[in-house]
Amino acid sequence: AMGKKIRAEMDKQRERFVSGAVERGVTKQQADFIFDLLAKFADYGFNKSHAAAYAVVSYQTAYLKAHYPVEFLAASMTYDMANTEKLNDFRRDAIRLGIEVVPPSVMTSYRDFEVGENRIYYSLAAIKGVGDAAVEHIVEKRKERAFKNLEDFCARVDPKIVGKRVLESLICAGAFDCFGHDRAALFAGVDRLMGMAARAAEDAALGQADIFGSAAIEPQKLHLPAAAQWLPAEKLHREFQVVGCYLSAHPLDDYRQTLEKMRVQNWGEFQAAVKRGATAGRLAGTVTAKQERKTRTGNKMGIVQFSDASGQYEAVLFSEALAQYRDLLEPGRSVVIMVSAEDRPEGINLRIQTVQSLEDEASRMQKALRIYLRDPQPIQAISSQLTTRGEGQVSLIVIKEGGLGEIEVGLPERYRISPQIAAAMRAVPGVVDVELV
């Protein structure tokens, strides 16, 4: 038997093995090659019975994934619920196989990742800040009857179990999107949600009901505070913070044209290129986390986590580069990085050489912004978003009533335009569509 624990003993045997082989007519070069093969096997060698047991489990697992992929992936996601990186891998695998992954929702999600017709319902308990007790309570209330609206939800859940932190996490994850309210307004009004739930709990404790004593009093309409909509970058960053991956979209989606023009590789492509011998490349990524540490020599180094549509990866940078690019590498920012790469046994090591703001690069490349509307009501809000002068041409296109054509009005000044600004325009009430060219 060979194994890691006797590797040192095998090294002692090399000279004995090689000299014995040479005596029997084998060349020294061939004997060394054979012994190297044996030594490599000693690093991770299985006996036959051990290998057979693994083979059976591998076959069973492969059979389940091939014939019951929805159930297999849902069970795998439930098992690795605490590991967001694995959850994201399983989710991408499901999408590749044509399986819909339904985002978390208080109307359709459960404690585990549940299965439907060629779909997986994302778990509520996989959201950070939402514990099992809160999820079980929500699911139990929903079993009695489906939630009609946000007010009905607040009136029926116990605020001692579904507290403020839980509500905030559910809002950021999109689990309340089913009620048709904007996430920013819900987040700003979370105290009102808690207040309604607390009043309903007090009324229930006092035994209040309608005159027939058969059902709870219909809750009053909940008025959420006025709040500026979150830009896509902020909305997705908050989503990432509580889910651990981007569910509704990826921050880089709006920059696809810019990235193509810049000849940026995605992480999946670059990983394969490094395995083939590449040592440098240009990547795009949204910063998901950043740490700063001191090296053995006392200098500072940064360890930055990035995400793109193909996966998540890590890169490092040292004192001078860290000082130069620190502000661009805040979580939620999207950037383009030049990296040097080294393929090591423990994985690919990336070192950042330069960093560019993707938003700044995109704004330099965009030439025109067209905003479609039916009436003048959104104009003031549009004006408030156009604050910085630049090179971009902005046009307002008014759609005539009854589909009788369009009138295009080009603004005399030129402005800084980008995917973020276009997204802000799309969020303005009354704007029909926005084109960025």
Side-chain angles (χ1 to χ4, degrees):
M2 291 183 291
K4 293 178 186 177
K5 62 185 177 183
I6 59 167
R7 175 71 186 273
E9 179 62 29
M10 286 191 66
D11 288 341
K12 291 178 188 176
Q13 297 298 322
R14 176 184 286 273
E15 189 178 339
R16 184 178 168 191
F17 175 85
V18 172
S19 61
V22 170
E23 285 173 17
R24 287 161 179 78
V26 180
T27 65
K28 185 178 184 303
Q29 185 179 3
Q30 193 171 18
D32 273 323
F33 176 73
I34 293 167
F35 194 88
D36 285 339
L37 288 176
L38 292 170
K40 189 179 287 187
F41 180 77
D43 278 341
Y44 202 69
F46 278 32
N47 62 41
K48 286 183 180 179
S49 61
H50 197 59
Y54 267 75
V56 171
V57 173
S58 298
Y59 175 81
Q60 290 170 335
T61 306
Y63 181 91
L64 288 170
K65 185 174 181 182
H67 295 281
Y68 302 96
V70 181
E71 291 81 0
F72 175 81
L73 286 170
S76 300
M77 293 172 90
T78 298
Y79 179 76
D80 276 314
M81 191 181 286
N83 187 332
T84 52
E85 196 165 331
K86 276 197 169 183
L87 285 184
N88 204 20
D89 288 341
F90 288 132
R91 176 177 159 270
R92 281 200 301 271
D93 210 11
I95 293 166
R96 181 183 62 80
L97 294 169
I99 299 165
E100 181 188 3
V101 181
V102 181
S105 167
V106 294
M107 293 287 273
T108 57
S109 296
Y110 294 82
R111 189 264 170 201
D112 294 342
F113 287 83
E114 293 289 344
V115 302
E117 188 64 39
N118 203 43
R119 60 172 58 115
I120 296 169
Y121 294 98
Y122 209 91
S123 158
L124 287 180
I127 300 168
K128 291 171 190 169
V130 182
D132 282 355
V135 175
E136 285 162 11
H137 179 66
I138 291 168
V139 171
E140 200 61 38
K141 290 293 178 184
R142 195 177 70 216
K143 276 183 187 173
E144 296 168 9
R145 66 180 189 279
F147 300 118
K148 289 194 296 185
N149 49 36
L150 179 63
E151 290 82 359
D152 185 41
F153 177 90
C154 292
R156 288 167 56 197
V157 299
D158 186 341
K160 291 176 183 172
I161 302 173
V162 183
K164 182 176 179 180
R165 171 78 195 279
V166 173
L167 290 178
E168 288 177 339
S169 292
L170 290 170
I171 290 165
C172 291
F176 283 140
D177 289 1
C178 52
F179 295 133
H181 296 282
D182 176 63
R183 291 186 198 180
L186 284 167
F187 197 87
V190 73
D191 286 331
R192 298 187 189 184
L193 271 64
M194 287 295 295
M196 175 172 273
R199 286 192 300 275
E202 287 168 12
D203 290 346
L206 293 170
Q208 285 192 15
D210 65 7
I211 57 172
F212 300 106
S214 59
I217 298 168
E218 185 75 19
Q220 291 183 338
K221 183 74 177 167
L222 185 65
H223 295 286
L224 295 171
Q229 283 189 314
W230 293 334
L231 288 174
E234 183 180 0
K235 177 182 171 183
L236 291 171
H237 181 55
R238 288 175 183 265
E239 194 175 282
F240 187 93
Q241 287 177 311
V242 294
V243 181
C245 64
Y246 298 106
L247 286 176
S248 54
H250 195 283
L252 298 184
D253 290 349
D254 289 334
Y255 297 93
R256 195 170 287 113
Q257 289 181 333
T258 303
L259 296 175
E260 285 173 4
K261 288 177 184 175
M262 295 179 75
R263 298 184 178 279
V264 170
Q265 290 176 283
N266 68 38
W267 168 237
E269 294 166 345
F270 185 64
Q271 210 173 3
V274 174
K275 296 286 183 188
R276 295 192 302 267
T279 57
R282 181 184 281 139
L283 297 170
T286 301
V287 179
T288 58
K290 182 183 73 172
Q291 292 180 333
E292 293 189 18
R293 293 182 193 163
K294 281 196 173 179
T295 63
R296 290 174 190 168
T297 57
N299 294 322
K300 279 194 173 181
M301 68 175 289
I303 303 164
V304 188
Q305 305 281 341
F306 295 95
S307 169
D308 72 8
S310 70
Q312 298 185 52
Y313 60 96
E314 180 180 281
V316 300
L317 70 171
F318 295 93
S319 50
E320 285 184 21
L322 180 61
Q324 185 176 356
Y325 300 121
R326 180 183 279 115
D327 293 346
L328 289 175
L329 294 170
E330 287 302 311
R333 295 286 297 270
S334 292
V335 293
V336 172
I337 55 174
M338 284 294 295
V339 296
S340 58
E342 187 180 352
D343 189 11
R344 295 181 177 176
E346 66 272 16
I348 294 172
N349 178 271
L350 299 180
R351 181 168 175 174
I352 297 171
Q353 306 296 333
T354 63
V355 183
Q356 298 166 273
S357 163
L358 183 52
E359 179 73 0
D360 289 347
E361 290 303 307
S363 69
R364 277 194 276 274
M365 292 183 181
Q366 304 299 340
K367 298 289 185 280
L369 181 71
R370 299 192 187 105
I371 306 164
Y372 292 81
L373 29 131
R374 297 187 189 281
D375 57 59
Q377 181 258 330
I379 287 176
Q380 190 170 351
I382 290 169
S383 175
S384 68
Q385 299 288 350
L386 296 172
T387 54
T388 308
R389 296 290 166 85
E391 301 299 318
Q393 172 67 53
V394 178
S395 300
L396 301 179
I397 299 175
V398 183
I399 303 167
K400 290 184 180 180
E401 284 186 28
L404 298 174
E406 301 170 346
I407 299 171
E408 183 169 351
V409 180
L411 301 189
E413 303 290 347
R414 290 183 174 266
Y415 298 91
R416 185 181 191 273
I417 57 177
S418 70
Q420 279 277 50
I421 291 166
M425 296 298 182
R426 285 191 190 96
V428 172
V431 170
V432 177
D433 194 13
V434 175
E435 285 181 350
L436 194 59
V437 292

